[in-house]
């Protein structure tokens, strides 16, 4: 099945009519934000074909098809399948009571080469082609015929729903067997067996009815009746004599069949035993493993010696002391010399600083004395000035007049300020006061300068003393640390010895790495040799399994050559013994056939005496049946009327037909009643599926993982961990996705060949976000999908929100949803 075009209207988030054209999209991706409607497109494909969607939980979830507040949803899918083109249509409506039902469903086969773009011209349904189904019930069978897959297989091989990748991987063996039975359609054999049993019962019933009618026919002709009665007596005597003789014939025939069956079985066993021959290279393969293991043991011993040498050097290095401690001690010696020199220099400068500070303090005191004296002189000048003012008030007042200002006495404007008389005491006192103030200001300024200088010297002296104290404390601490030091020269010698040991340690480490690499290569050689042994062992197991029912001796798989030799020796002995037995059986078969022929000749003589020279009646070669038919025929001659003879002949013919039909039906039902056939089919299907999935998983994981199964459980073989086998439930999220994807792809690839239906797998649509994968794994998955698409035998579609994957897909359908509806835009 390959989708070509999908039309939606009112379907879930697609309220508005939407068309998606897949005509030339061999490899595409559905991308868009979460909840935009990517998975809904795959839901619509499933719904158009099967009327349901995996995440709806069956047909009861049909109400999910309608967009909110919509009363009708339409889905139309045009697809190709097995060389034909179809269009599937489904319409869902909500009635006035709120009930949702399928209002219309149909499948039509379109004309060859029909152009899907013509659907945009508004063609009527009658123009789309032959109507294959017109109701939902008819569609179920028609879609199965057209697609070749029932719903469960379609959602496991074509559309893989979101979140169900790992279901098959993690399923229990019984559940997985049930899944395979459903996927492969093996339930049909049970139905065939039941139908065959029913037909056998019906045919036997009809056969009994025919026999009853034949026995009940009569004839009313007197003369014919007398002759028929005499003939009937003869036939009855014949029937009694034949029935008496037949048990001996059956015993003879049974003995002959038993001998023939034993002879056939013996010939089959001889053929199997004659096929037991060891491969030509089995001895060389065994020897290669032994040599490889010896090489690996030698390499491992070399690794041990190298590691011991490295540990020895490492111990010497640990015992030699910590190089960091030695370097710190050496640095402490250097630091002490520097601190001592600085303390000595600083101590010499402290005495001179003390002298300078004392001189500055003396200078301050002198300046303070001069300032006090100048202040006293200023105060004396002020008092003299006050006394002169008292003596000469007018002259003093003149000193307060200003030209243009009013007089403080008469309040008249002063035009000119008169000069103070030269001989005035006020003038002399004022001059003396100015001189005294100038001297006092100079003295105060000098005092401030000298005081600041003295304070600066005091601060410098305090800092020098604090630094000297710090250097003294540091020197004391260094002396304490270096009390047990052997001295700089000794420390340098110890550091040199440590460097030499470190060089030896580096050489030992290199030797360890070299030995480990050699051991790894030897291990790889052992693995390769063991793989050859495993392959050879599988051949041995295959050969031994063919004759397992004959009871071969126990095999020592550790010595494959000896095991082959022992098996060949045993097979030769058993073949010789069976050839001897065959000669005896051949003689028994000849005797049994002769005995059968003798008894059959006696019964033939009875028929000849009764006038039936060839020993057959009504086509029956079985003596009992022939005599019984003869009796029936004789009775018919007595009882039947002329017009009923034709009826009797028809009934006889029908009897043969019914008996043959009953025999065939009983035989078929007997063959299918046992479960061996179904178990064999399931085992073969699972082997093929795991082989295909393992190949894909190797590609996805770069050769790290292979897939296998044992007693119904799945395991992975980790080639990066010496072929360790572990359960699939131990895989991480990304690894589980890879294994599930491998199974899904393998199931999709192989189901067509395994299924009992005629599947047309022309596309695979993966609804998975791929968000759990790292960059490298995502690249591998993308390359796998590209390779799958490049083969050209199917369409590949993915649903993803991972930009790195979407960008590698040539065709993208971007889905966006607004408040009204979802929309689709094709890109690329």
């Amino acid at each position: 099945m390959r989708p070509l075009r999908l039309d939606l209207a009112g379907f879930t988030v697609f309220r508005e009519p939407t068309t998606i054209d897949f005509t030339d999209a061999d490899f595409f991706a559905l991308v868009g934000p979460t909840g935009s409607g990517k998975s809904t497109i795959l839901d619509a494909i499933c719904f158009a074909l099967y009327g349901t969607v995996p995440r709806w939980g069956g047909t009861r979830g049909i109400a999910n098809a309608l967009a909110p507040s919509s009363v009708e949803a339409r889905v139309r899918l045009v697809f190709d399948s097995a060389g034909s083109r179809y269009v599937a249509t489904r319409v869902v409506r909500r009635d006035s009571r709120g009930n949702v039902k399928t209002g219309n469903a149909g499948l039509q086969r379109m004309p060859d080469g029909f152009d899907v773009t013509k659907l945009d011209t508004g063609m009527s349904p009658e123009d789309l082609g032959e109507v294959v189904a017109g109701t939902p019930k008819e569609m179920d069978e028609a879609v199965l015929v057209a697609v070749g897959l029932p719903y469960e297989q379609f959602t496991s091989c074509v559309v893989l729903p979101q979140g169900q990748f790992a279901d098959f991987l993690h399923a229990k063996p019984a559940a997985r067997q049930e899944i395979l039975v459903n996927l492969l359609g093996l339930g049909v054999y049970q139905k065939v067996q039941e139908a065959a049993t029913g037909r056998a019962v019906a045919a036997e019933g009809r056969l009994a009815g025919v026999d009853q009618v034949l026995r009940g026919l009569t004839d009313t002709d007197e003369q014919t009746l007398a002759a028929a009665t005499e003939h009937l007596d003869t036939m009855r005597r014949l029937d009694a004599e034949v029935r008496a003789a037949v048990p001996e014939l059956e015993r003879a025939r049974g003995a002959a069949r038993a001998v023939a069956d034993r002879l056939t079985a013996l010939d089959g066993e001889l053929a199997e035993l004659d096929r037991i021959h060891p491969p030509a290279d089995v001895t060389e393969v065994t020897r290669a493993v032994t040599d490889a293991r010896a090489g690996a043991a030698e390499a491992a011993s070399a690794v041990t010696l190298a590691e011991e040498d490295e540990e020895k050097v490492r111990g010497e290095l640990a015992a030699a002391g910590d190089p960091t401690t030695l370097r710190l001690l050496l640095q402490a010696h250097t630091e002490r010399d520097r601190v001592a020199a600085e303390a000595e220099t600083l101590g010499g400068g402290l005495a001179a600083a003390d002298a300078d500070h004392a001189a500055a303090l003396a200078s301050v005191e002198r300046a303070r004395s001069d300032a006090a004296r100048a202040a006293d002189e200023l105060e004396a000048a002020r008092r003299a000035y006050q006394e002169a003012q008292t003596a000469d008030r007018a002259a003093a007042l003149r000193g307060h007049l200003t030209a243009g200002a009013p007089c403080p006495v008469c309040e008249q404007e002063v035009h000119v300020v008169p000069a103070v008389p030269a001989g005035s005491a006020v003038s002399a006192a004022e001059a003396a006061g100015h001189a005294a103030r100038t001297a006092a200001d100079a003295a105060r300024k000098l005092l401030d300068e000298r005081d600041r200088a003295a304070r600066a010297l005091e601060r410098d002296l305090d800092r020098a003393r604090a630094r000297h104290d710090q250097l003294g404390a540091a020197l004391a601490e260094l002396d304490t640390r270096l009390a047990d030091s052997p001295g700089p020269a000794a420390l340098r010698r110890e550091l040199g010895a440590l460097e030499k040991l470190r060089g030896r340690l580096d050489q030992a480490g290199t030797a360890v790495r070299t030995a480990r690499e050699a051991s790894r290569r030897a291990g790889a050689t052992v693995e390769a040799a063991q793989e050859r042994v495993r392959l050879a062992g599988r051949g041995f197991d295959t050969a031994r399994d063919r004759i397992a029912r004959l009871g071969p001796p126990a095999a020592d798989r550790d010595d494959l050559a000896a095991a082959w030799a022992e098996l060949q020796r045993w097979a030769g002995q058993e073949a010789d013994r069976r050839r001897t037995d065959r000669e005896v059986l051949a003689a028994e078969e000849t005797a049994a056939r002769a005995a059968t022929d003798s008894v059959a000749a006696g019964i033939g003589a009875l028929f000849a005496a009764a006038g039936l020279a060839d020993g057959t009646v009504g086509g029956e070669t079985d003596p009992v049946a022939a005599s019984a038919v003869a009796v029936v025929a004789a009775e018919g001659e007595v009882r039947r009327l002329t017009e009923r003879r034709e009826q009797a002949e028809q009934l006889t013919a029908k009897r043969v037909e019914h008996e043959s039909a009953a025999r065939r039906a009983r035989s078929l039902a007997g063959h299918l009643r046992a479960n061996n056939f179904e178990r064999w089919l399931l085992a073969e299907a699972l082997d093929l599926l795991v082989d295909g999935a393992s190949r894909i998983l190797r590609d996805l994981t770069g050769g790290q993982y292979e897939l296998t199964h044992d007693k119904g459980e799945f395991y992975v073989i980790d080639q990066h961990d010496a072929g360790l086998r572990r359960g699939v439930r131990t895989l991480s999220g990304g690894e589980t996705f890879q294994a599930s994807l491998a199974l899904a792809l393998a199931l999709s690839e192989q189901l067509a060949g395994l299924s009992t239906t005629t599947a047309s797998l022309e596309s695979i649509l993966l609804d998975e976000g791929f968000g759990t994968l790292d960059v490298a794994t995502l690249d591998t998955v993308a390359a796998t999908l590209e390779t799958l698409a490049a083969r050209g035998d199917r369409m590949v579609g993915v649903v993803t929100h991972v930009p790195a994957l979407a960008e590698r897909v040539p065709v993208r359908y971007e889905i966006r949803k607004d408040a009204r509806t979802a929309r689709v835009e094709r890109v690329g």
Side-chain angles (χ1 to χ4, degrees):
M1 194 288 293
R2 181 188 180 98
L4 299 178
R5 173 180 170 132
L6 179 65
D7 295 296
L8 308 171
F11 185 79
T12 67
V13 297
F14 292 91
R15 292 175 179 266
E16 301 294 338
T18 302
T19 296
I20 306 170
D21 189 356
F22 299 104
T23 303
D24 56 349
D26 294 327
F27 186 21
F28 67 88
L30 300 175
V31 299
T34 300
S36 59
K38 302 184 296 298
S39 298
T40 301
I41 294 176
L42 301 188
D43 292 345
I45 293 176
C46 285
F47 180 73
L49 294 173
Y50 298 98
T52 187
V53 172
R55 54 181 177 170
W56 289 359
T59 56
R60 294 185 177 180
I62 192 173
N64 294 309
L66 284 171
S69 73
S70 295
V71 297
E72 182 179 275
R74 290 179 174 271
V75 180
R76 181 172 64 185
L77 174 67
V78 180
F79 64 94
D80 285 344
S81 181
S84 297
R85 181 160 297 178
Y86 299 87
V87 56
T89 305
R90 286 188 188 265
V91 179
V92 176
R93 295 188 179 93
R94 180 185 284 114
D95 60 21
S96 58
R97 297 182 179 180
N99 298 321
V100 178
K101 298 180 180 179
T102 300
N104 184 27
L107 181 69
Q108 293 173 262
R109 183 183 293 108
M110 308 179 82
D112 294 339
F114 183 89
D115 185 4
V116 296
T117 60
K118 293 182 178 179
L119 294 173
D120 297 327
T121 62
M123 300 178 64
S124 65
E126 292 77 14
D127 298 331
L128 297 181
E130 174 189 0
V131 176
V132 180
T135 66
K137 184 176 181 180
E138 292 175 353
M139 257 196 101
D140 293 341
E141 182 176 354
V143 169
L144 178 60
V145 174
V147 178
L149 292 173
Y151 171 74
E152 292 79 9
Q153 296 182 22
F154 184 83
T155 54
S156 297
C157 305
V158 179
V159 174
L160 305 183
Q162 187 176 31
Q164 298 183 17
F165 266 38
D167 288 355
F168 189 79
L169 179 69
H170 290 158
K172 294 184 180 297
R176 189 180 297 115
Q177 177 173 326
E178 183 178 355
I179 292 172
L180 280 178
V181 168
N182 292 333
L183 290 178
L184 301 178
L186 299 185
V188 69
Y189 297 111
Q190 176 66 25
K191 295 179 180 178
V192 171
Q193 189 268 333
E194 294 173 355
T197 301
R199 290 189 180 184
V201 171
E204 289 169 351
R206 290 191 294 271
L207 180 61
V210 169
D211 288 341
Q212 184 177 0
V213 172
L214 286 175
R215 287 191 296 271
L217 293 177
T218 60
D219 196 344
T220 58
D221 186 281
E222 292 290 342
Q223 184 177 1
T224 304
L225 180 59
T229 300
E230 182 180 357
H231 179 68
L232 176 59
D233 293 339
T234 303
M235 293 301 102
R236 286 175 174 171
R237 286 193 299 271
L238 171 65
D239 184 59
E241 293 170 350
V242 167
R243 289 180 183 277
V246 160
E248 183 180 358
L249 177 63
E250 290 299 326
R251 286 193 294 272
R253 286 178 175 174
R257 282 195 300 269
V259 173
D261 291 343
R262 290 169 59 193
L263 193 60
T264 300
L266 197 61
D267 288 339
E269 292 174 0
L270 279 171
E272 292 293 342
L273 290 170
D274 289 339
R275 292 173 59 188
I276 300 300
H277 295 290
D281 60 345
V282 64
T283 302
E284 187 272 334
V285 169
T286 306
R287 185 169 56 252
V289 171
T290 302
D291 295 343
R293 287 174 176 168
E298 183 178 351
S301 176
V303 170
T304 301
L305 293 176
E307 290 175 344
E308 290 176 351
D309 183 58
E310 182 185 29
E311 287 300 319
K312 179 181 177 183
V313 176
R314 197 181 300 278
E316 293 177 1
L317 186 61
D322 185 8
T324 302
T325 303
L326 296 178
R327 292 190 184 95
L328 291 176
L329 287 175
L330 190 58
Q331 292 174 1
H333 276 288
T334 303
E335 180 65 12
R336 188 196 181 284
D337 294 341
R338 184 191 66 77
V339 171
E342 184 180 354
E344 183 178 357
T345 301
L346 189 59
L350 281 176
D354 283 335
D356 292 342
H357 182 256
L361 292 177
S363 176
V364 169
E365 289 302 321
R366 288 193 298 272
R368 184 175 286 111
S369 178
D370 292 343
R373 187 168 52 253
D376 292 342
E377 292 175 354
L378 178 61
E379 180 62 24
R382 186 181 64 78
R383 288 194 300 269
Y385 178 72
Q386 289 176 347
E387 291 174 355
Q389 282 183 327
T390 303
D392 190 357
R393 297 276 184 192
L397 183 60
R398 292 175 184 176
H400 295 285
L401 296 177
T402 303
C407 175
V409 177
C410 64
E411 296 184 353
Q412 298 296 318
E413 181 181 356
V414 178
H415 298 286
V416 177
V417 178
V420 178
S424 174
V426 173
S427 178
E430 183 177 7
H434 284 305
R437 180 169 295 283
T438 300
D441 290 341
R444 174 59 62 185
K445 181 179 181 182
L446 180 61
L447 176 61
D448 291 340
E449 290 176 351
R450 289 182 178 179
D451 186 61
R452 285 194 298 271
R455 291 179 183 278
L457 287 173
E458 185 177 4
R459 287 193 297 270
D460 292 342
L461 182 60
D462 290 342
R463 284 195 293 270
R465 285 173 178 167
R467 178 59 180 165
H468 189 269
D469 292 342
Q470 290 176 355
L471 291 174
L475 193 61
E477 181 181 355
L478 288 171
D479 287 340
T480 300
R481 288 178 56 191
L482 297 174
D484 297 329
S485 173
L491 290 173
R492 291 187 182 92
R493 286 194 299 274
E494 291 183 19
L495 284 171
L498 283 173
E499 289 300 324
K500 291 181 181 179
L501 283 175
R502 188 166 295 280
R504 288 179 55 197
L505 181 60
D506 292 340
Q507 293 175 355
T510 302
V512 168
R513 289 189 294 274
T514 302
R516 286 174 178 171
E517 176 60 21
S519 178
R520 186 193 64 77
R521 290 195 298 269
T525 302
V526 170
E527 181 62 27
Q530 288 177 338
E531 180 61 22
R532 292 182 62 193
V533 168
R534 282 193 290 272
L535 292 175
R538 291 173 188 169
F540 175 81
D541 291 341
T542 300
R544 193 177 185 278
D545 290 345
R546 288 198 304 266
I547 58 173
R549 67 183 187 282
L550 305 181
D556 182 8
R557 290 291 303 279
D558 293 335
D559 188 351
L560 199 57
W564 266 112
E566 174 61 19
L567 185 63
Q568 186 180 28
R569 181 196 62 77
W570 174 86
Q573 291 178 349
E574 290 297 312
D576 292 342
R577 184 175 63 80
R578 280 167 173 75
R579 290 188 181 94
T580 301
D581 294 343
R582 192 186 188 288
E583 294 176 358
V584 175
L585 284 176
E588 292 180 4
E589 183 186 30
T590 301
R593 288 179 177 174
T596 301
D597 293 342
S598 175
V599 176
I603 293 175
L606 293 176
F607 276 93
L612 302 174
D614 56 358
T616 62
V617 178
E620 288 288 348
T621 57
D622 180 73
V624 174
S627 62
V629 172
V631 171
V632 172
E635 290 175 347
E637 282 296 323
V638 172
R639 297 178 178 87
R640 283 180 301 180
L641 299 174
T642 303
E643 62 274 12
R644 299 183 65 187
R645 292 191 183 197
E646 182 178 353
Q647 177 187 3
E649 293 174 358
Q650 293 174 353
L651 289 174
T652 302
K654 286 184 178 181
R655 183 186 187 284
V656 175
E657 179 182 343
H658 295 332
E659 186 177 27
S660 177
R663 187 165 51 250
R664 288 195 304 270
R666 282 294 181 190
S667 177
L668 178 58
H671 285 305
L672 295 180
R673 184 173 294 110
N675 293 328
N676 292 334
F677 183 66
E678 180 178 298
R679 285 199 297 269
W680 176 82
L681 281 178
L682 285 173
E684 289 295 313
L686 191 59
D687 287 343
L688 291 175
L689 178 62
V690 170
D691 287 343
S694 183
R695 171 180 52 79
I696 296 172
L697 184 58
R698 282 197 300 271
D699 294 338
L700 289 176
T701 60
Q704 179 177 0
Y705 290 126
E706 294 181 0
L707 193 65
T708 185
H709 70 100
D710 185 14
K711 296 179 181 178
E713 293 289 351
F714 282 151
Y715 299 90
V716 292
I717 298 175
D718 191 347
Q719 299 297 349
H720 290 186
D721 193 9
L724 177 66
R725 190 178 83 164
R726 56 193 178 97
V728 294
R729 294 186 179 275
T730 65
L731 296 175
S732 66
E735 292 169 341
T736 297
F737 175 82
Q738 291 174 317
S740 300
L741 178 61
L743 271 176
L745 293 176
L747 190 63
S748 175
E749 286 182 352
Q750 300 186 25
L751 190 61
L754 298 174
S755 176
T756 57
T757 60
T758 305
S760 177
L761 298 180
E762 300 173 65
S763 59
I764 179 171
L765 308 176
L766 307 177
D767 187 2
E768 189 69 15
F770 303 95
T772 60
L773 304 182
D774 57 29
V775 175
T777 305
L778 183 64
D779 183 74
T780 302
V781 171
T784 301
L785 294 175
E786 288 170 349
T787 302
L788 186 64
R791 286 164 43 180
D793 58 349
R794 72 180 66 190
M795 168 192 287
V796 177
V798 297
V799 175
T800 182
H801 57 269
V802 179
L805 177 60
E807 290 171 1
R808 295 183 60 168
V809 180
V811 177
R812 297 186 297 278
Y813 296 92
E814 295 182 353
I815 296 91
R816 290 180 173 82
K817 187 177 71 170
D818 55 25
R820 172 62 183 169
T821 185
R823 306 180 190 281
V824 181
E825 180 181 1
R826 175 168 171 163
V827 179

